[in-house]
Amino acid sequence: MKTSANLFRIVLIFLFTYAVIPGQVNKIRVACVGNSITQGNGGINTYPAQLGLLLGSNYDVRNFGVSGRTLLRKGDYPYWNEAAFQNAKEFDPHIVIIKLGTNDSKSQNWIYKNEFFKDYVDLINEFRRDGRKPQIFVARPCPAFKIQWGINPEIIRNEVIPLTDSIRKATNSYLVDFYAPFLKRDNLLPDGIHPSNEGYLVMAQIAESTIKKSPSGIIRYFLTSKTSLESRDSTKIYWATTPGTTVTLNGEKVNTTDSLNVSINKNTTYKLITSGEVADSSTIYLQSVESKR
């Protein structure tokens, strides 16, 4: 009954999202990076798909999971070599959830454990190239309840998780914990490794709650549809920040999430500054160009 009620809730959210609010100009892009636990079997039962429904129409959640892949570059099947990794970066996400490490616990992979920290930091930095500032969530993997396909529960618990915690702190990233909530719910991982449909829903609920509790002061996006304007032209500037943020645009206090129509007659810089639990800033430069009319 509990599972049915949860699925019914998701259906209602889906109907509301796509029937009542059919179009949003800008969405917060979420990239879910991982192995088979992220990839799932497709459709609504993957955790990224259910996360998208739970977060609602202001978010665009994409699944970039690939079965069997490792975080380690020297692992048997590195995530680094996958098209999904490149696609995830090209998606230019505002939020990245990285859930890797399960397959790294296999003996043929964990012989390279001394490279796990550096490889993980490098992977995070790939999403931060060219001045990009997505919010990175480093995930503690789901527990393994038995040795299966070489996956080692002891290594996940005693080595992978402490390392991921250290990586999170070293990279100023955030935590999403898929480990502790499942420790007494082994029934949700029927083969000892992969969640059931209800287990994927639990993962989505954990991720949703974690994202919604993000610190105030984070800029999700600050953008405009065009940066070169002729005279009498106008453009719209959009921004979104986390709840509870204090925001100023060129020194004037504005809403946490909003948009503004602007027109210019000279080159103009717009600067968004936030304060809260963290502080952030972002800049848009608009260029005034000669009219072709």
Side-chain angles (χ1 to χ4, degrees):
M1 291 295 292
K2 182 177 179 181
T3 302
S4 298
N6 285 329
L7 291 175
F8 180 68
R9 175 184 174 226
I10 284 184
V11 170
L12 288 178
I13 291 171
F14 179 86
L15 292 173
F16 178 82
T17 297
Y18 293 96
V20 180
I21 310 175
Q24 292 285 338
V25 175
N26 297 294
K27 297 186 178 185
I28 298 168
R29 297 186 294 275
V30 182
C32 298
V33 169
N35 47 44
S36 60
I37 295 173
T38 297
Q39 181 181 12
N41 295 318
I44 194 174
N45 290 323
T46 66
Y47 105 75
Q50 297 193 65
L51 174 60
L53 295 176
L54 291 172
L55 287 172
S57 64
N58 289 332
Y59 291 79
D60 181 2
V61 181
R62 303 282 179 91
N63 189 338
F64 296 100
V66 183
S67 179
R69 268 47 190 178
T70 67
L71 182 284
L72 284 161
R73 283 186 173 102
K74 292 180 181 176
D76 49 6
Y77 298 104
Y79 187 80
W80 292 84
N81 299 342
E82 297 302 317
F85 182 34
Q86 186 62 34
N87 293 339
K89 291 185 289 183
E90 291 175 356
F91 183 48
D92 192 14
H94 304 109
I95 297 171
V96 184
I97 301 175
I98 303 172
K99 197 219 140 308
L100 288 164
T102 301
N103 294 305
D104 297 86
S105 72
K106 298 175 182 179
S107 59
Q108 70 268 28
N109 298 321
W110 204 237
I111 58 174
Y112 304 111
K113 66 180 180 180
N114 290 339
E115 300 178 33
F116 189 83
F117 188 100
K118 181 183 183 302
D119 286 353
Y120 212 133
V121 171
D122 287 349
L123 187 136
I124 288 170
N125 287 336
E126 285 288 316
F127 287 99
R128 290 174 170 169
R129 283 193 172 194
D130 303 319
R132 296 174 179 175
K133 298 190 291 185
Q135 185 183 13
I136 306 287
F137 287 95
V138 172
R140 290 176 180 163
C142 296
F145 289 101
K146 59 182 176 180
I147 295 177
Q148 184 82 284
W149 304 296
I151 294 167
N152 191 314
E154 299 296 319
I155 289 176
I156 291 173
R157 179 175 66 250
N158 297 326
E159 299 188 65
V160 172
I161 286 179
L163 272 170
T164 56
D165 287 344
S166 297
I167 290 157
R168 174 179 59 84
K169 294 172 184 176
T171 58
N172 196 29
S173 300
Y174 297 85
L175 171 68
V176 56
D177 189 359
F178 292 133
Y179 189 83
F182 283 97
L183 282 176
K184 296 183 179 180
R185 306 187 71 180
D186 58 317
N187 61 302
L188 297 181
L189 285 78
D191 66 3
I193 305 294
H194 299 93
S196 62
N197 290 346
E198 185 179 356
Y200 283 129
L201 175 57
V202 171
M203 288 184 68
Q205 291 168 336
I206 292 167
E208 177 208 20
S209 175
T210 304
I211 289 171
K212 292 291 183 68
K213 292 177 182 177
S214 293
S216 59
I218 295 174
I219 298 174
R220 292 294 190 211
Y221 59 73
F222 182 46
L223 54 86
T224 183
S225 55
K226 53 185 176 180
T227 56
S228 297
L229 280 75
E230 298 178 4
S231 61
R232 299 189 300 277
D233 275 356
S234 65
T235 189
K236 185 171 277 192
I237 293 173
Y238 303 89
W239 64 90
T241 68
T242 46
T245 300
T246 299
V247 188
T248 62
L249 178 62
N250 284 6
E252 298 291 328
K253 189 172 181 179
V254 294
N255 294 328
T256 57
T257 297
D258 212 336
S259 62
L260 179 70
N261 280 311
V262 297
S263 58
I264 60 173
N265 52 27
K266 62 179 181 179
N267 295 346
T268 305
T269 298
Y270 289 89
K271 188 167 187 178
L272 197 76
I273 298 176
T274 64
S275 60
E277 296 168 78
V278 299
D280 203 355
S281 65
S282 186
T283 301
I284 289 175
Y285 179 74
L286 298 183
Q287 182 180 19
S288 178
V289 298
E290 187 175 339
S291 176
K292 297 178 182 178
R293 297 187 179 99

